[in-house]
Amino acid sequence: MLVSSLAFLLSISEKKDLSWIEPSSDQVLPELITYPNSYGKLEILNADGPVQLKNHPFFEPIGSNGRACVSCHQPSNAMSVSVENLQKRWEETHGKDPVFAAVDGSNNPKLPQELKSSHSLLLNRGLFRIGLSWPPKPDNGVPVKPEFTIEVVSDPTGANSDPDFGLKGKEPSISVYRRPRVVGNMKYVMSPDPRFNIKTGTLAVTDPETGLVVGMNMMADSRHYTQKAQAIDAYHGHLQGHTFLTPSEQKQIVDFENQLYLAQSHDPWGSPLVENGKPEGLGAKAMKEGKVHVLANNNRDPIFHWFKTWENPETMSKDLTKEQKEFRQSVARGNDIFMFRPFWINDVTHINSIGLANPLRRTCSTCHNGQMTAQDIAPGWVDLGTTNYPNWTENRIFNQKTDLPVFKCTCSPSADPHPYLGRVVYTTDPGRALISGKCKDIGSIVMQQFRGLAARAPYFANGSAKNLMEVVDYYDRRFNMKLADQEKKDLVNFLSSL
Amino acid sequence: MRNGILIFCCWISTFCAFAQTTTGKYVAFLACPIVRDSKAMPCWLAEKDGTTYYLGQQGSSASAFYPPQLKHQVLVEGFIQDPQKTSCGGIVIDPIVISVMPELDVACTTLLPAEDGLEPPAPVPFPKYEPFSDDTKEFQILYDFDSDYLTLHKTRIAGEAVRVAKIQQPARIEIHAYRGKSKLSDGTILEEKLAMVHRRAEKMFDVFVGLDISKEKIKVIEHEKALGGKGEGDYLNRKLVIKLYK
């Protein structure tokens, strides 16, 4: 009994040497580990027990450029990677860490790699270059004929004008720049919707190996539907592997991903968020035990369950300070705004355009409707406006300028136009349209899960929101929500605790 | 004006109501939709020639009525039973079929604030879905104007057609795709794009094949001539019919 308790205590650790895991590290990722961040602590739960990193394909440099999967999916950053950690890593290694590999860790692989400026998109926005064939490769085996032409209007990185891999190069491709997605809580991310895709009115896609319907919420453009396909693609692309990922390696990677749960676990003062199992929607244990594919945009069993014990200081632990209690009340108010505060949702492709009305008077949880993660339980690509003119996310608070490429997409007269921008769309990332070839998909990006946000700034697929306040501010502006300053803080505190 | 429309397969309440209506004045027009907020649900209106009409209210993807969209004109086809009957400040059109016109119209931006006394009626209950009889031989799907989008309701019909086909094991399945014309109250004729016929047919063919119906059994017939254009019942020509043959 004593031995097992000690072992458990040892497994709950907060090891500084795991704050950045290098490939081929001879360490153990414990069953439960917490990492500090500016909002408190993040918790990583390995449901299958401690993970030996040595010889594990997720943690080994199995490609040719020294990278491992973990290079861009760090546990300390909720299995993504933060700009803060990247900048620190640049200073510590003088840019030699394989995360900065020329292939996609720089703005353009042909730039002088020793210069920090050549990696500005990664260091400032946390963005990796994603080179996608144009015209698109077959989508799930079905040939794709694009409904639009694409021109490069502005190319600050030079990648899209490159004579070899640019849009008019020998192997035409389009370079867009995106944040790495969280690898964790995958049972929610991967859960499939019913047989028809409500967004497209077509059959949902299936896993070619099993024939089973798959979810489409894993990647920003949903170009791969299974973790295995994503792993193989990442091996050849991000890791520049020249041979193949063995079936055993594929299984190890997918198995590791599927047993990993993560969520914020402690408040900014270091106290646990969850006490006596309340609030029941917080913490990694809740993520492990939660039901999947629950449509929760309702007042019966909401997205993150209830925060009732946090609504009143008298129902909170007596050990908490006044500030801690006020923080918890703020989180509960933020949850109420997220769940129940109506506003006009307008001009969002694949929300307003699927029969729900434009505009639609509903709440944040209308679109972020999946219990525990707040992803859409249907295939979740939407054009929120973060990439398309006129709503693209120029960061107003921090006054960032566009350093992303700008494309002009012109839709064929025979195609359905983009529902709210028409037949000519200027965009920094065509998103799902680069895969589907559909004009109406231009700028649509698959929404992400809300977990571990505190550990992985910046936000949005293009890293344009430097912190959570900037995320809230974008929504406030975009949808004219008229949030008061206190309401914005409540939403930030709420998001930081997930 | 009398409506003598009959459809052989009546599954969705909106269309059932439309099909069974025999009274009222038929109206059909294109207009910018207007959304009016209310204490209950936002309601949707349209103004034509100085008259404001009530079209329906916001619901969900399970609702029978899918509202219009600002930035797009709406094609309204339906009946006025009683010009004195209003909701949300507009004359009620019921039954009604609306289509969101695909092209952008940036002039369509009117959003009105809530006003006391201007409320939509109680929400219409969601359509009830009964499985089709296992011996059904024909299935019909109706579309919005210039649209091949299969809504939740339409995918349910498609799914039922496949389910019944698997039970009956027909020797041949025919997918007939059509396009239509709509005659507006001012005499204007709107004609759906020719491409709609192929797009509707192709999508349904993909559904059948994707749900493991042998493609050798399926015959697709694309009816290119636009049907209708006579006023009442024009919406019934924007359709796809699935026929099962022994």
Side-chain angles (χ1 to χ4, degrees):
Chain A
M1 178 73 176
L2 182 62
V3 172
S4 64
S5 299
L6 278 172
F8 180 70
L9 286 172
L10 285 170
S11 75
I12 304 174
S13 58
E14 194 176 300
K15 295 181 180 175
K16 285 183 180 174
D17 54 356
L18 286 169
S19 63
W20 183 275
I21 297 176
E22 293 182 1
S24 212
S25 172
D26 190 9
Q27 291 171 296
V28 174
L29 192 62
E31 180 178 345
L32 194 63
I33 183 168
T34 58
Y35 289 98
N37 56 56
S38 55
Y39 293 99
K41 291 179 191 171
L42 173 88
E43 187 174 60
I44 299 270
L45 170 62
N46 287 295
D48 289 350
V51 179
Q52 174 65 56
L53 308 189
K54 191 74 179 168
N55 296 324
H56 192 297
F58 193 92
F59 298 92
E60 288 290 340
I62 50 179
S64 68
N65 60 12
R67 268 192 192 156
C69 305
V70 74
S71 299
C72 309
H73 298 283
Q74 292 283 340
S76 62
N77 293 143
M79 301 305 288
S80 176
V81 65
S82 73
V83 156
E84 183 185 6
N85 228 353
L86 286 163
Q87 289 180 345
K88 192 173 158 202
R89 197 66 192 155
W90 178 273
E91 298 306 325
E92 286 172 353
T93 66
H94 306 288
K96 301 295 185 195
D97 190 291
V99 75
F100 302 109
V103 62
D104 57 10
S106 74
N107 301 352
N108 179 338
K110 292 187 178 176
L111 292 172
Q113 295 301 302
E114 69 281 8
L115 298 179
K116 205 172 175 181
S117 60
S118 300
H119 306 267
S120 62
L121 288 173
L122 183 55
L123 289 166
N124 296 333
R125 289 179 180 248
L127 303 179
F128 289 84
R129 189 179 69 87
I130 309 292
L132 297 167
S133 300
W134 189 258
K137 285 182 177 171
D139 184 17
N140 204 28
V142 180
V144 176
K145 187 181 175 193
E147 294 179 346
F148 58 94
T149 59
I150 189 163
E151 302 165 56
V152 180
V153 175
S154 167
D155 189 25
T157 69
N160 285 291
S161 315
D162 186 87
D164 294 320
F165 57 87
L167 186 56
K168 293 181 178 173
K170 295 164 195 159
E171 293 182 33
S173 69
I174 291 173
S175 289
V176 291
Y177 298 83
R178 297 176 183 159
R179 298 278 290 127
R181 302 205 133 203
V182 171
V183 178
N185 307 323
M186 298 306 284
K187 72 174 182 179
Y188 303 96
V189 176
M190 303 306 293
S191 68
D193 217 30
R195 200 64 188 86
F196 282 91
N197 179 341
I198 196 170
K199 298 287 177 68
T200 60
T202 58
L203 280 179
V205 296
T206 53
D207 180 343
E209 290 188 8
T210 65
L212 299 174
V213 173
V214 294
M216 298 181 79
N217 286 327
M218 179 174 55
M219 305 189 76
D221 53 15
S222 204
R223 67 184 180 277
H224 295 301
Y225 314 128
T226 66
Q227 292 158 276
K228 178 180 156 183
Q230 187 278 332
I232 291 170
D233 184 59
Y235 166 77
H236 290 293
H238 301 308
L239 273 57
Q240 295 180 285
H242 297 316
T243 57
F244 57 91
L245 210 51
T246 68
S248 169
E249 288 170 332
Q250 294 167 19
K251 184 174 186 308
Q252 271 186 284
I253 290 170
V254 174
D255 287 350
F256 168 71
E257 293 173 351
N258 284 341
Q259 59 82 55
L260 197 149
Y261 297 93
L262 61 91
Q264 189 79 344
S265 59
H266 290 72
D267 71 11
W269 297 269
S271 296
L273 293 169
V274 180
E275 287 183 306
N276 301 320
K278 305 284 183 183
E280 58 264 57
L282 299 186
K285 184 168 176 279
M287 296 307 296
K288 179 189 169 192
E289 294 174 352
K291 293 178 186 170
V292 300
H293 216 73
V294 178
L295 180 66
N297 55 354
N298 57 63
N299 58 9
R300 298 182 301 279
D301 189 11
I303 308 293
F304 299 105
H305 302 293
W306 296 103
F307 290 75
K308 290 190 184 299
T309 55
W310 285 10
E311 290 172 1
N312 186 337
E314 291 174 8
T315 57
M316 298 181 208
S317 165
K318 291 183 173 54
D319 297 332
L320 297 173
T321 65
K322 182 169 175 279
E323 288 77 17
Q324 286 178 300
K325 288 181 178 177
E326 285 173 353
F327 173 80
R328 282 159 174 73
Q329 285 182 284
S330 172
V331 171
R333 288 194 302 269
N335 177 64
D336 276 354
I337 296 168
F338 169 78
M339 280 302 307
F340 304 121
R341 163 85 174 263
F343 60 96
W344 289 107
I345 301 165
N346 67 299
D347 297 352
V348 180
T349 309
H350 298 305
I351 296 292
N352 297 103
S353 63
I354 60 168
L356 294 177
N358 181 41
L360 170 71
R361 189 163 172 76
R362 295 279 281 272
T363 72
C364 303
S365 66
T366 296
C367 311
H368 298 281
N369 54 44
Q371 198 165 62
M372 299 304 276
T373 62
Q375 282 190 287
D376 194 342
I377 64 168
W381 53 83
V382 297
D383 174 15
L384 175 64
T386 52
T387 67
N388 286 350
Y389 181 83
N391 291 313
W392 63 36
T393 39
E394 275 322 291
N395 186 314
R396 293 197 182 179
I397 290 180
F398 298 97
N399 199 29
Q400 283 181 347
K401 298 294 181 191
T402 291
D403 39 11
L404 295 169
V406 177
F407 305 98
K408 179 185 179 185
C409 300
T410 305
C411 302
S412 150
S414 63
D416 286 339
H418 183 289
Y420 307 114
L421 297 173
R423 295 192 177 278
V424 177
V425 182
Y426 289 86
T427 182
T428 55
D429 185 347
R432 174 68 186 160
L434 289 176
I435 308 304
S436 71
K438 299 283 185 194
C439 188
K440 67 172 74 165
D441 288 338
I442 295 170
S444 283
I445 302 284
V446 176
M447 67 175 72
Q448 299 191 51
Q449 63 171 296
F450 278 27
R451 293 293 178 168
L453 286 165
R456 54 183 171 95
Y459 307 101
F460 293 131
N462 61 3
S464 57
K466 193 171 181 177
N467 57 27
L468 291 173
M469 183 56 85
E470 176 63 29
V471 173
V472 172
D473 187 69
Y474 177 75
Y475 279 92
D476 186 46
R477 275 187 279 121
R478 170 71 176 81
F479 297 116
N480 195 21
M481 292 175 71
K482 297 186 172 67
L483 293 168
D485 286 349
Q486 183 59 52
E487 290 175 316
K488 289 184 182 179
K489 286 178 192 165
D490 292 342
L491 279 166
V492 168
N493 287 337
F494 161 67
L495 294 170
S496 76
S497 68
L498 297 173
Chain B
M1 192 179 286
R2 296 283 168 181
N3 173 15
I5 297 169
L6 283 175
I7 57 174
F8 58 88
C9 178
C10 186
W11 212 48
I12 302 297
S13 62
T14 303
F15 298 134
C16 288
F18 204 146
Q20 290 161 3
T21 296
T22 55
T23 60
K25 178 191 174 189
Y26 181 75
V27 289
F29 59 87
L30 271 176
C32 280
I34 297 165
V35 59
R36 178 185 287 285
D37 203 1
S38 84
K39 288 175 186 165
M41 277 288 169
C43 42
W44 285 87
L45 309 162
E47 186 183 315
K48 187 67 179 176
D49 299 332
T51 303
T52 302
Y53 298 93
Y54 171 76
L55 310 181
Q57 64 180 290
Q58 178 183 304
S60 74
S61 56
S63 303
F65 178 75
Y66 279 20
Q69 298 181 38
L70 296 188
K71 293 196 177 174
H72 293 267
Q73 290 196 46
V74 61
L75 170 62
V76 178
E77 297 164 289
F79 290 86
I80 298 169
Q81 305 294 340
D82 176 0
Q84 304 304 314
K85 186 181 176 187
T86 63
S87 283
C88 268
I91 296 170
V92 174
I93 301 178
D94 182 27
I96 186 169
V97 171
I98 69 146
S99 299
V100 176
M101 301 304 279
E103 297 300 326
L104 212 54
D105 187 337
V106 293
C108 299
T109 57
T110 306
L111 193 160
L112 301 174
E115 267 187 47
D116 284 343
L118 297 181
E119 298 287 335
V124 178
F126 291 164
K128 288 182 180 173
Y129 293 102
E130 299 291 339
F132 278 76
S133 165
D134 291 352
D135 59 4
T136 306
K137 300 294 182 194
E138 289 193 6
F139 300 83
Q140 176 173 263
I141 291 174
L142 302 177
Y143 293 86
D144 290 357
F145 192 92
D146 262 348
S147 170
D148 62 347
Y149 175 54
L150 294 171
T151 62
L152 179 67
H153 308 299
K154 296 176 176 84
T155 58
R156 282 175 171 160
I157 300 174
E160 276 294 287
V162 172
R163 182 188 68 78
V164 170
K166 286 182 175 176
I167 291 169
Q168 291 184 19
Q169 292 294 316
R172 188 171 89 252
I173 298 169
E174 287 184 358
I175 295 173
H176 293 259
Y178 301 85
R179 66 182 177 122
K181 289 190 277 191
S182 282
K183 184 179 181 184
L184 307 184
S185 298
D186 66 3
T188 306
I189 302 284
L190 301 179
E191 184 170 316
E192 288 193 292
K193 288 176 191 157
L194 178 60
M196 279 302 134
V197 178
H198 179 66
R199 285 168 54 176
R200 287 168 181 162
E202 187 179 41
K203 272 199 173 179
M204 193 55 62
F205 178 82
D206 288 346
V207 167
F208 270 68
V209 173
L211 292 176
D212 301 325
I213 301 290
S214 167
K215 63 174 73 170
E216 282 71 34
K217 278 190 176 181
I218 304 170
K219 186 178 181 188
V220 173
I221 299 113
E222 298 182 2
H223 300 265
E224 293 190 346
K225 184 184 176 189
L227 304 177
K230 295 172 182 166
E232 291 179 41
D234 279 343
Y235 79 100
L236 290 166
N237 298 308
R238 306 190 292 262
K239 67 183 178 183
L240 183 138
V241 179
I242 300 154
K243 298 181 179 180
L244 311 182
Y245 293 96
K246 271 288 179 194

